[in-house]
Amino acid sequence: MALPLLPAASRQGNIGKEKFHKSQHWGYCNNVAMLVGEDKPGIGGEPLPGQKLKPKYSVFPEGMGSGAPAWVAFDKQILSFDAYFEEEVPDKNQELYRIRHCKIYFYLEDDTIQVIEPQVKNSGITQGTIVRRHRIPLPPPHEDQFYTIDHFNINIEVILYARKYKIIDCDQFTKNFLRKIGFRLNPPAGRPDDPYTKERQKILDSMKPLRPYERIDTLKQFLEHDGHVLRFFCVWDDPESMFHDPRELVLHYYLSDDTIDIKEIIPVNSGRDAVPLFLRRDKLPKYAPTGLYQPGTITSRTVLNVFGKLVGNRGHYILDNRKTGAVHQEFYRDSDLKIGAVINVWGRKIILCDCDEFTKKYYRTKYGIEDFSPVPYKALPPPKPEKKFPPYTGFGSEEDSLCSCMGLLPKPPQRDFKKFMEKDRSGMESNILRFLAKFVTDSPIDKDRKFIISYFLSDDTISVFEHIQRNTGILGGKFLERGRIKKPGQELFKSEPSEYFKAQNLFVGAKVCFHGHNFLLVDADEYTFNYMEKHANEFSMADIGVILKKLENITESRSREIRQVFAATDPEHTKVIQYDLFRNLIVRITDGAFSEHEIMTLGRYYSVRDEYEMDLHSLLSAAQEQLKKNSFENFEQLSAVLIYNDREKCGVLPHEMCRTICKSFKLPLADDNLQALLTMFENDHKQVEYKKFVDGLNWRENQIPACQTIKIPFKNEDDWSRQPPSIPVKGIKYLPLLDDLFGKEE
């Protein structure tokens, strides 16, 4: 490929497509002023008198080189020349002129020139761009023309705006380019030195120090330990203070330059002035045994009197290069600091008592110290005075009265909002524990009265409703308004807050007293049993692990006897006994140490569940009847939400996701019935076919005749006006219980 030869105006004929810029001027033709071209020839192409026509092409023939425009062919190609110029310095005896070195850049794309002087530190001269980039005209008398590449070479002089520049060299790219276009390069010239700079260097070289120079290199220490600080916790027992109290200090040792600063820890309301630093950062000197050094003892130079006063009663002094008799002051180093050491801080004895983890790691790594036992220096803080509140006055609630003692402006007691949000009713989770109770009394009239005790987990409140019984002469309904109930036997007017009934105090078999009425909890609903077993860490009566451990401690010495008792109750060897018989055996074995709730939990864990299968047709019939009674018709919205959650559009969703979506729509179905329905529509991969599920529940479009409906007792936690059903446990598998207690029998 041919290399483009010449840039811009001098290469336009060579490129073959661009034309010269024709300068225009005014002339006269037949005494008429006309705009004529300076290079326009006369008749027949003959030059006019005094006219010099420029050749159309350069010395190179047409067609040689690239056909692209110069601004494309030579884009970002620059010729760099090293040059210098002399600048006169008037009114200065030290220098008459100075040599200033610079760079001349020639841009091939448009023949522009730029002159830049490199920055020299501390030169005192404004340096940088001397001539900005533009096309520079030739010196007179050719000021109508501009500098081109033809005017540049090595070891020549160019005049740019009356300033003479001597080109001494160029870079390798410039040399290669000039050779390719046919230039013969001159040999490089020498770089002259600035006379003033040379003279100054001679003066500096001739200067000799008065004594051998001592080089102390602290850069390495600074670079290695910059930002590394040792921290010690100190104490200064000031004997001259008024109250003779120890002063707590923090000592910082900077490893980068071996300096120390000390800051005092000023207690609150101590009466002392808060100062920034106890000791500002500096090297801390060690003192001589006799005390402080006198002024002038420690100096940077040692002066010797050679002749004394023998010659003309005058002395002759010289510097001692060997520093004979000089006093060297010692400073505290990191090797002098350790726990238990006493340092002298300008006459004050300070004890180092402890340090931080970084300091321990540093001494463990560098000095191999392993013992960092702190020195006790802090007295035990005085016990905080107990804040006593006045006794309850009887006006308002105890919490409200207590808030009036907390501040000048009384505020209402704060409610546990987080607990309320966690334990509030959500879908099928009511978070209400319901128990069946009866009076503990000898009155024949009150013995048969039945109550429903509801405990609300969201705010620890209790409400009591009495079951309405006909022909008893007692009006049922609300027996106790919902609210928190205090435990009996507490003093009314006291400073301490009263204790209230918690969820852990309520279980089957517990006796509670609500405002003077004694209740015995005899049963609970299914949700209560399930909730307490699910949160067994909060309810020990429903923790099967705790119950088994308790039963094992009671019966571990009578294992053979207990196995015989259980075997005697099962003469037919069915390995199952009735719940009532099981309960009586547990009561007899434990001698009444187990509560009814613990026995129920044990029975529920080892029970034989009634496993029955209900056909899908009957189950859907009961579900449609329940949905129809509650006027639930949002089947399209339910189907749309299920389809939206099916990202893969495969027609199936996980069982738990479908259950959560159905709960968000508040389907009026009990949780166990909803689980059974979803199980009916599962495929082989345990995925629910949600479209068939929604179509089966849609009683508007796919109604099942009522004659085929089988009555199923749906469990609704909100409908507890009647006595709850008895525990759904009929048979107990006693062999797994005995194996868990005593191990498998060989």
Side-chain angles (χ1 to χ4, degrees):
M1 179 178 177
L3 180 69
L5 300 177
L6 297 175
S10 63
R11 302 188 309 277
Q12 288 168 0
N14 192 27
I15 292 174
K17 291 186 179 180
E18 297 184 4
K19 295 183 178 180
F20 285 97
H21 173 73
K22 301 178 181 180
S23 59
Q24 305 291 336
H25 69 279
W26 290 97
Y28 291 90
C29 182
N30 298 327
N31 297 325
V32 178
M34 299 181 64
L35 188 64
V36 297
E38 184 180 81
D39 55 350
K40 184 177 180 181
I43 300 174
E46 295 295 332
L48 299 176
Q51 186 181 28
K52 294 181 181 180
L53 294 180
K54 296 179 182 179
K56 185 176 182 181
Y57 302 106
S58 64
V59 294
F60 299 95
E62 181 183 3
M64 186 175 180
S66 175
W71 56 273
V72 174
F74 298 100
D75 185 29
K76 299 180 181 178
Q77 295 190 18
I78 307 170
L79 305 184
S80 175
F81 297 93
D82 296 331
Y84 71 90
F85 65 93
E86 295 183 3
E87 183 181 35
E88 293 184 359
V89 182
D91 302 332
K92 195 171 183 182
N93 297 329
Q94 290 83 358
E95 55 178 337
L96 301 178
Y97 67 95
R98 62 171 62 104
I99 303 296
R100 299 179 62 176
H101 298 276
C102 58
K103 290 276 188 178
I104 299 178
Y105 296 108
F106 186 90
Y107 295 83
L108 295 173
E109 56 180 308
D110 55 0
D111 287 356
T112 54
I113 299 173
Q114 184 181 16
V115 182
I116 296 177
E117 183 181 8
Q119 296 281 350
V120 178
K121 189 176 181 181
N122 298 327
S123 66
I125 304 172
T126 304
Q127 296 172 324
T129 302
I130 299 177
V131 179
R132 63 178 178 83
R133 177 181 172 181
H134 66 289
R135 295 183 69 190
I136 300 178
L138 294 173
H142 305 289
E143 63 271 11
D144 58 334
Q145 301 178 24
F146 296 91
Y147 274 101
T148 64
I149 191 61
D150 301 323
H151 299 95
F152 287 88
N153 203 332
I154 302 176
N155 202 0
I156 65 171
E157 293 182 352
V158 293
I159 300 176
L160 306 180
Y161 295 114
R163 177 175 286 174
K164 184 183 296 184
Y165 293 86
K166 175 72 172 181
I167 299 177
I168 57 177
D169 203 355
C170 63
D171 60 0
Q172 192 62 39
F173 172 78
T174 306
K175 292 179 180 179
N176 295 337
F177 184 86
L178 293 177
R179 286 194 184 101
K180 286 182 180 181
I181 65 174
F183 275 76
R184 183 183 299 274
L185 295 179
N186 301 328
R191 179 186 294 267
D193 295 328
D194 184 30
Y196 178 75
T197 306
K198 192 174 181 180
E199 187 67 24
R200 287 287 301 170
Q201 189 63 36
K202 288 182 180 180
I203 296 174
L204 293 176
D205 294 340
S206 63
M207 294 178 63
K208 295 181 180 180
L210 297 177
R211 58 184 174 83
Y213 176 67
E214 296 181 9
R215 181 175 178 83
I216 302 175
D217 187 10
T218 59
L219 180 61
K220 182 173 182 284
Q221 179 182 359
F222 173 79
L223 294 177
E224 289 180 352
H225 297 289
D226 183 30
H228 296 174
V229 183
L230 306 181
R231 181 170 63 168
F232 290 89
F233 303 99
C234 320
V235 64
W236 171 41
D237 194 359
D238 187 5
E240 298 180 0
S241 62
M242 181 181 298
F243 302 102
H244 193 65
D245 54 339
R247 309 274 288 273
E248 296 181 20
L249 308 171
V250 177
L251 183 145
H252 293 146
Y253 184 90
Y254 297 87
L255 294 172
S256 60
D257 55 358
D258 300 323
T259 55
I260 293 175
D261 69 5
I262 301 177
K263 184 177 181 181
E264 183 179 3
I265 301 176
I266 301 177
V268 181
N269 299 327
S270 63
R272 301 185 184 276
D273 293 333
V275 294
L277 287 175
F278 183 82
L279 176 70
R280 68 177 179 84
R281 179 177 175 179
D282 200 355
K283 287 190 176 183
L284 183 61
K286 296 180 181 179
Y287 291 109
T290 57
L292 294 175
Y293 292 107
Q294 296 297 325
T297 304
I298 301 174
T299 59
S300 59
R301 297 178 181 179
T302 303
V303 181
L304 299 179
N305 190 350
V306 180
F307 300 108
K309 296 185 178 180
L310 299 177
V311 181
N313 202 18
R314 292 187 306 175
H316 181 69
Y317 300 95
I318 63 172
L319 290 177
D320 183 11
N321 294 333
R322 299 184 178 273
K323 295 185 177 180
T324 306
V327 178
H328 298 279
Q329 190 175 17
E330 295 185 4
F331 298 93
Y332 279 104
R333 305 294 300 270
D334 56 349
S335 58
D336 302 320
L337 305 179
K338 61 180 180 179
I339 297 178
V342 179
I343 61 174
N344 192 338
V345 181
W346 299 104
R348 296 171 175 83
K349 303 296 182 181
I350 293 180
I351 306 173
L352 306 183
C353 301
D354 201 358
C355 59
D356 61 358
E357 290 298 327
F358 174 79
T359 307
K360 294 177 182 178
K361 182 179 178 181
Y362 176 80
Y363 280 94
R364 190 182 295 113
T365 304
K366 185 174 181 179
Y367 297 104
I369 299 176
E370 296 293 340
D371 185 16
F372 297 100
S373 301
V375 177
Y377 64 95
K378 288 186 178 180
L380 295 177
K384 293 184 178 181
E386 184 180 358
K387 191 174 184 179
K388 296 183 179 180
F389 296 99
Y392 175 54
T393 60
F395 294 97
S397 64
E398 292 186 2
E399 292 78 8
D400 193 16
S401 297
L402 184 61
C403 287
S404 65
C405 303
M406 296 294 186
L408 187 60
L409 299 176
K411 296 181 180 180
Q414 296 295 325
R415 186 179 183 181
D416 192 349
F417 187 73
K418 181 180 179 181
K419 181 179 180 181
F420 173 77
M421 294 300 295
E422 291 178 352
K423 299 296 183 181
D424 192 23
R425 182 181 180 93
S426 175
M428 304 302 294
E429 296 290 334
S430 62
N431 287 311
I432 302 174
L433 306 182
R434 294 185 175 88
F435 298 89
L436 178 65
K438 63 179 182 179
F439 270 138
V440 181
T441 180
D442 296 331
S443 174
I445 300 176
D446 295 336
K447 277 186 177 181
D448 297 331
R449 297 174 65 179
K450 298 177 182 179
F451 301 88
I452 305 299
I453 298 177
S454 300
Y455 186 91
F456 298 85
L457 295 170
S458 60
D459 55 359
D460 300 327
T461 55
I462 299 174
S463 66
V464 181
F465 285 82
E466 184 176 1
H467 176 54
I468 300 175
Q469 301 182 36
R470 294 183 179 181
N471 301 325
T472 58
I474 299 175
L475 184 63
K478 185 185 293 185
F479 183 82
L480 182 63
E481 186 73 26
R482 176 179 174 180
R484 293 198 301 168
I485 300 177
K486 297 180 182 179
K487 291 183 178 180
Q490 301 184 77
E491 185 183 353
L492 179 60
F493 303 104
K494 62 182 185 304
S495 301
E496 297 79 12
S498 301
E499 294 184 10
Y500 294 86
F501 278 101
K502 299 292 184 182
Q504 289 76 14
N505 304 127
L506 303 181
F507 53 89
V508 178
K511 293 181 180 181
V512 294
C513 180
F514 295 162
H515 301 302
H517 299 280
N518 296 318
F519 294 93
L520 175 64
L521 308 185
V522 296
D523 204 354
D525 64 351
E526 185 67 18
Y527 177 82
T528 302
F529 282 113
N530 292 333
Y531 182 87
M532 296 177 75
E533 290 171 2
K534 190 181 297 184
H535 301 80
N537 57 334
E538 302 177 13
F539 302 93
S540 60
M541 298 296 177
D543 192 345
I544 188 65
V546 175
I547 296 172
L548 287 175
K549 186 65 177 179
K550 182 178 178 182
L551 185 60
E552 182 182 355
N553 294 334
I554 297 175
T555 61
E556 61 180 352
S557 61
R558 299 181 294 162
S559 59
R560 184 174 299 276
E561 177 188 351
I562 292 172
R563 286 184 183 275
Q564 293 176 357
V565 169
F566 274 95
T569 58
D570 184 20
E572 299 180 0
H573 303 288
T574 59
K575 301 180 182 179
V576 177
I577 60 176
Q578 297 297 320
Y579 174 77
D580 294 336
L581 184 59
F582 171 78
R583 175 193 173 280
N584 295 334
L585 285 176
I586 296 296
V587 171
R588 189 175 67 182
I589 291 172
T590 60
D591 197 16
F594 272 35
S595 64
E596 288 292 335
H597 200 115
E598 292 175 313
I599 300 174
M600 287 184 176
T601 303
L602 203 61
R604 287 168 60 88
Y605 188 77
Y606 294 100
S607 65
V608 179
R609 301 292 181 179
D610 291 335
E611 297 180 359
Y612 60 92
E613 294 185 0
M614 181 177 295
D615 61 306
L616 178 61
H617 185 80
S618 303
L619 196 61
L620 285 176
S621 300
Q624 284 189 5
E625 183 180 356
Q626 191 72 14
L627 294 174
K628 188 186 299 182
K629 287 181 179 180
N630 288 272
S631 301
F632 183 85
E633 299 183 5
N634 297 333
F635 299 107
E636 293 184 1
Q637 298 180 8
L638 177 61
S639 179
V641 173
L642 290 170
I643 293 173
Y644 174 77
N645 285 272
D646 184 10
R647 303 296 184 182
E648 299 180 358
K649 306 302 178 185
C650 54
V652 293
L653 285 174
H655 181 100
E656 195 62 32
M657 182 181 292
C658 294
R659 175 174 172 267
T660 304
I661 294 173
C662 292
K663 281 190 172 185
S664 65
F665 276 85
K666 297 183 179 180
L667 280 177
L669 300 175
D671 188 63
D672 52 354
N673 294 300
L674 178 60
Q675 296 272 25
L677 281 171
L678 291 172
T679 306
M680 290 290 186
F681 288 96
E682 286 182 352
N683 58 9
D684 297 337
H685 301 288
K686 302 298 182 182
Q687 300 285 323
V688 179
E689 299 177 356
Y690 56 85
K691 189 176 185 304
K692 295 180 180 179
F693 169 72
V694 176
D695 293 340
L697 294 180
N698 195 342
W699 56 271
R700 281 288 186 188
E701 298 180 0
N702 304 317
Q703 186 174 4
I704 298 176
C707 58
Q708 301 179 13
T709 303
I710 300 176
K711 299 294 183 181
I712 299 177
F714 280 83
K715 301 175 184 178
N716 194 342
E717 288 81 355
D718 292 334
D719 184 15
W720 242 63
S721 59
R722 299 180 296 104
Q723 176 182 351
S726 59
I727 183 171
V729 177
K730 296 181 180 179
I732 305 297
K733 296 181 287 187
Y734 63 89
L735 286 182
L737 172 62
L738 297 177
D739 292 341
D740 292 342
L741 289 176
F742 313 118
K744 291 188 177 181
E745 189 176 12
E746 298 180 357

